[in-house]
């Protein structure tokens, strides 16, 4: 299949369990919970997204005709002697990730992580699964390595999420004009729920992509 990618770039992971780890991000275009167009935000399932995933005009973005071509481009951006750590994100990466791309990345020695909204099942062959469920959306991928909940969200039951098989659980304040209030809400929940830890978007704090 062909793949539509907004951007591919090397950076530091800015949030969650792997904060500070060097990674190549492949940001797929498109999402099933919002078109990415501001005029559609009021009617979107996910109204607080802070990511531009529309089109192919980001750094390294484009349309790739095969899994091998995309995997070559992703891995070529890795710098360092360690094995490449690749983060597949979006938008919603499960709309495009398939077995061919996953195999191609693994054949090139990559460790593959995914950041998904959990509305589609993720292959067990993915090395690191981070799920960020959204209120009002289907919640299909109910296990993984880390659960990262944007907070606060009405309709999200933290106690129920605590019973699911995830190794790490994070609450991340929703960005925007009420960020300070949301940070306080996250800290309040984490003080009362030791199963959860606060996650902050380090990449925004230090000014990197």
């Amino acid at each position: 299949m062909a793949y539509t990618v907004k951007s591919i770039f090397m950076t530091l992971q800015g949030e969650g369990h792997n904060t500070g780890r060097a990674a190549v991000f492949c940001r797929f275009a498109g999402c099933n919970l919002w078109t990415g167009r501001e005029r559609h935000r009021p009617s979107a399932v996910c109204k607080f997204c802070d990511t531009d995933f529309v089109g192919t005009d980001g750094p390294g973005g484009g349309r790739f005709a095969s899994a091998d071509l995309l995997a070559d481009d992703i891995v070529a951006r890795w710098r360092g002697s360690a094995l490449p750590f690749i983060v597949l994100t979006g938008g919603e990466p499960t709309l495009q990730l398939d077995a061919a791309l996953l195999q191609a990345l693994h054949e090139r020695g990559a460790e593959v992580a995914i950041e998904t909204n959990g509305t589609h099942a993720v292959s067990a062959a993915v090395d690191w699964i981070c799920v960020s469920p959204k209120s009002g959306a289907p919640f299909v991928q109910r296990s993984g390595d880390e659960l990262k909940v944007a907070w606060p969200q009405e309709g999200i039951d933290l106690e129920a999420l605590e019973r699911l098989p995830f190794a790490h659980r994070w609450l991340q304040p929703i960005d925007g004009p009420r960020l300070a209030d949301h940070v306080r809400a996250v800290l309040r929940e984490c003080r009362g729920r030791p199963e959860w830890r606060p996650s902050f978007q380090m990449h925004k704090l230090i000014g990197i992509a």
Side-chain angles (χ1 to χ4, degrees):
M1 66 173 278
Y3 307 88
T4 305
V5 175
K6 174 67 178 186
S7 56
I8 305 172
F9 55 95
M10 187 163 177
T11 186
L12 300 178
Q13 171 61 276
E15 55 194 51
H17 182 77
N18 289 306
T19 293
R21 185 176 180 183
V24 175
F25 271 62
C26 174
R27 186 175 304 284
F28 288 100
C31 183
N32 56 338
L33 301 184
W34 179 41
T35 66
R37 308 291 185 183
E38 284 301 322
R39 65 180 181 275
H40 297 146
R41 190 185 288 270
S43 60
V45 175
C46 178
K47 296 178 172 61
F48 52 79
C49 181
D50 58 1
T51 302
D52 178 9
F53 53 81
V54 177
T56 60
D57 58 340
R63 291 181 174 84
F64 296 82
S66 72
D68 284 323
L69 288 173
L70 179 53
D72 282 341
D73 195 292
I74 293 171
V75 172
R77 296 171 190 274
W78 177 258
R79 298 291 180 267
S81 58
L83 293 178
F85 179 54
I86 310 302
V87 178
L88 304 177
T89 185
E92 176 46 46
T94 60
L95 300 178
Q96 300 191 58
L97 176 61
D98 59 8
L101 178 57
L102 192 53
Q103 179 179 337
L105 289 169
H106 281 148
E107 287 175 348
R108 289 155 176 78
E111 178 183 353
V112 181
I114 192 169
E115 296 184 346
T116 173
N117 59 29
T119 57
H120 294 89
V122 176
S123 168
V126 174
D127 302 299
W128 187 271
I129 300 174
C130 175
V131 180
S132 181
K134 304 300 188 295
S135 181
F139 187 20
V140 176
Q141 183 62 40
R142 302 174 69 87
S143 63
D145 297 284
E146 60 181 318
L147 188 63
K148 186 172 62 184
V149 178
W151 195 255
Q153 285 189 73
E154 290 187 13
I156 293 286
D157 185 342
L158 296 181
E159 185 173 350
L161 293 179
E162 290 165 10
R163 295 192 288 270
L164 298 179
F166 286 88
H168 309 279
R169 293 174 177 81
W170 304 93
L171 289 182
Q172 185 162 292
I174 293 173
D175 201 0
R178 298 192 60 196
L179 177 59
D181 292 336
H182 297 162
V183 168
R184 285 191 287 270
V186 163
L187 296 179
R188 183 168 57 249
E189 290 294 340
C190 290
R191 289 189 187 103
R193 297 180 178 276
E195 296 84 357
W196 298 87
R197 295 184 180 184
S199 171
F200 301 107
Q201 294 178 301
M202 183 193 73
H203 52 292
K204 292 184 179 180
L205 296 175
I206 64 176
I208 62 173

